[in-house]
């Protein structure tokens, strides 16, 4: 009986470890946008990306790189290093980007920009990320 229990425990633990590692694949699982942010839509017009370029250059480029490829000089030494933003953007909605920029990403150097940038600037950054390739 004890042995069976131990076996189950090991199974359960390996399942947790596997899940945490994304099943061993190199692509990390995309997080779910919390209810507070899910479905958020930009109130800005089509020209938001122009202002977003300035926001990005000033606040994000040092880590994320000029094209958001995660190759900024300040990003190289980080663990994890900043991700490729255009690659991520192709897989997520604006609400995801808006959420991450607002609240940051726990366990990484990505800080919360809410209160540092205005809501408008955060949406502008989202619009700019959408233009990156
Ligand atoms: C100090 C360096 C640094 C700065 C400055 C920075 N970031 Fe990040 N950012 C990171 C790191 C590190 C991650 C986490 C990457 C990962 O988890 O793979 C990240 C993650 C992100 C993500 C989400 C990635 C994901 O996997 O969910 C977005 C979107 C993002 N940053 C946008 C921005 C924007 C926009 C700015 C400027 C307002 C900015 N970042 C400024 C380092 C930085």
């Amino acid at each position: 009986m004890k042995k069976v229990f131990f076996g189950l425990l090991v199974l359960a633990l390996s399942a947790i470890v596997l899940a945490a590692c994304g099943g061993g694949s190199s692509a990390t699982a995309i997080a779910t946008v919390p209810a507070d942010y899910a479905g958020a839509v930009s109130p800005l017009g089509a020209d938001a990306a122009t202002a977003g370029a300035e926001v990005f250059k000033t606040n994000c480029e040092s880590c994320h790189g000029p094209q958001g490829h995660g190759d900024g000089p300040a990003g190289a030494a980080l663990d994890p290093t900043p991700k490729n933003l255009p690659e991520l953007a192709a897989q997520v909605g604006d609400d995801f980007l808006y959420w991450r920029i607002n609240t940051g990403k726990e366990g990484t150097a990505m800080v919360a920009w809410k209160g540092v940038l205005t809501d408008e600037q955060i949406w502008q950054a989202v619009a700019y990320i959408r233009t990156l390739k």
Side-chain angles (χ1 to χ4, degrees):
M1 188 61 199
K2 237 187 184 158
K3 255 195 183 143
V4 172
F5 178 71
F6 185 68
L8 282 175
L9 191 71
V10 169
L11 261 181
L13 281 178
S14 14
I16 290 167
V17 170
L18 267 179
C21 301
S25 88
S26 59
T28 30
I30 305 264
T32 308
V33 181
D36 283 6
Y37 288 91
V41 177
S42 174
L44 307 180
D47 58 346
T50 312
E54 272 314 302
V55 174
F56 194 87
K57 208 174 171 53
T58 310
N59 302 284
C60 324
E61 191 176 301
S62 59
C63 288
H64 285 279
Q67 290 301 311
H69 292 175
D71 52 356
L78 299 175
D79 180 20
T81 52
K83 218 173 259 160
N84 184 313
L85 291 180
E87 244 171 44
L88 172 77
Q91 302 172 64
V92 300
D94 281 0
D95 56 348
F96 183 101
L97 298 173
Y98 178 68
W99 161 53
R100 276 289 197 233
I101 300 166
N102 263 293
T103 65
K105 189 170 179 186
E106 213 174 300
T108 78
M110 177 67 184
V111 298
W113 291 89
K114 193 185 172 114
V116 179
L117 299 176
T118 64
D119 198 55
E120 187 178 26
Q121 285 175 314
I122 291 177
W123 277 120
Q124 287 167 342
V126 170
Y128 180 67
I129 290 171
R130 286 277 173 229
T131 69
L132 298 174
K133 290 192 174 72

